[in-house]
Amino acid sequence: MRVAIIHNKKALSLEVAAKLRELLQKAHYQLDQDDPELVISVGGDGTLLSAFHLYNHKLDQVRFLGVHTGHLGFYTDWRDYELDELVDSLCTQEEKAISYPLLDVTIHYRNGKPSQHFLALNESTIRRSTQTLEADVYIKDELFEKFRGDGLSVATPTGSTAYNKSIGGAVLHPRINAMQLTEIASLNNRVFRTLGSPIVLSPTEWVELDLAAINDETHYTITIDQLALERTQVKCIVYKIAKERIHFASYRHTHFWRRVRDSFIGEV
Ligand code: NAD
């Protein structure tokens, strides 16, 4: 099996990545950063997000596995002191393939500028930095609400415990094939009326945000996981549950709600 290791720059992650490389070579795995079948991230959730974006053009061939060197790991099943056990599991255990939904994001521009397409593992948000964002929210082709406020976020189920949770979104079990639209500080008055609560959409639905730009230079910040794009001339953004999914190499089962409890509540 061809394996790539992606790590952050922290001293512990560098040390853990070096030890993992050595153990994998001893076990006759081929290290291949360009064309891997297994991508192991060493760091935190952010490192796994980076690894996903590095290899998101090969999602049908790559499986991901996360080793965490810090605390709080939603995408990281293994601890830094478990490398021997991890390599042993790779060699001896049958892997259970687990896949989770991704978010498909298309940004359409005005004045014939070509549209841009992205995949998000956690979420995508749109905000205006200094003024309120105005957007008509369509679900499928029907106008659902006229939004006015700081911004909007659309999250995947695995991303529901990340930024989505901080803005009052629900935590979704990652096996649910859905996406969640959550408001960021909406303004409600007689003209702009929003639902005021997060909504969960099914795979047959899509969300279109039509932006009521004041002029072509109206400036938006659009995020795709860690990536922040500063954009003008944005006409609309379309969010769908992607055809592609992320595949994790699972050698141990971590109960999702236990992980949520341990991360956010602690000892009960
Ligand atoms: P970062 O290093 O600032 O990470 C922010 C925190 O989010 C870290 O503790 C990380 O472990 C956690 N996190 C990331 N994905 C998670 C997930 N799926 N479930 C639970 N926790 C998760 O930022 P980064 O490394 O650049 O990662 C970007 C992600 O961080 C974004 O996709 C966003 O969801 C999240 N984020 C959250 C907030 C917030 O909650 N207010 C703010 C900024 C970024």
Side-chain angles (χ1 to χ4, degrees), residues 170-198:
V171 173
L172 292 194
H173 193 287
R175 285 193 191 272
I176 298 171
N177 197 21
M179 62 179 182
Q180 184 173 181
L181 173 70
T182 308
E183 300 175 359
I184 310 169
S186 59
L187 268 166
N188 271 289
N189 54 40
R190 278 180 304 168
V191 184
F192 295 94
R193 177 134 310 274
T194 62
L195 185 66
S197 62

Side-chain angles (χ1 to χ4, degrees), residues 136-145 206-208:
D136 288 346
V137 179
Y138 285 82
I139 295 180
K140 287 185 149 180
D141 287 326
E142 224 170 273
L143 180 62
F144 179 70
E145 62 185 14
W206 63 94
V207 169
E208 180 173 322

Side-chain angles (χ1 to χ4, degrees), residues 45-46 49 72 74-75 122-123 158-159 161-163 166 225-226 264:
D45 288 324
L49 284 169
L72 189 74
F74 268 84
Y75 292 117
N122 267 352
E123 80 288 294
T158 53
T161 45
Y163 182 65
S166 300
D225 299 332
Q226 298 138 316
F264 296 112

Side-chain angles (χ1 to χ4, degrees), residues 34 52-60 119:
D34 297 326
F52 163 75
H53 285 282
L54 268 177
Y55 295 101
N56 71 4
H57 57 294
K58 291 176 183 256
L59 289 176
D60 50 349
L119 286 178

Side-chain angles (χ1 to χ4, degrees), residues 8 22 28 31 71 78 81 88 114 147 152 168 180 188 203 208 220 248 257:
N8 63 24
E22 198 184 303
H28 306 293
L31 297 176
H71 44 256
W78 296 83
Y81 49 78
D88 196 45
F147 178 86
L152 288 156
Q180 184 173 181
N188 271 289
E208 180 173 322
Y220 300 96
F248 284 94
W257 296 113

Side-chain angles (χ1 to χ4, degrees), residues 16 20 22 47 88 106 112 115 145 150 200 218 244 248 252:
V16 171
L20 183 59
E22 198 184 303
T47 321
D88 196 45
T106 309
S115 52
E145 62 185 14
D150 280 5
V200 177
T218 303
E244 301 87 343
F248 284 94
R252 51 161 59 158

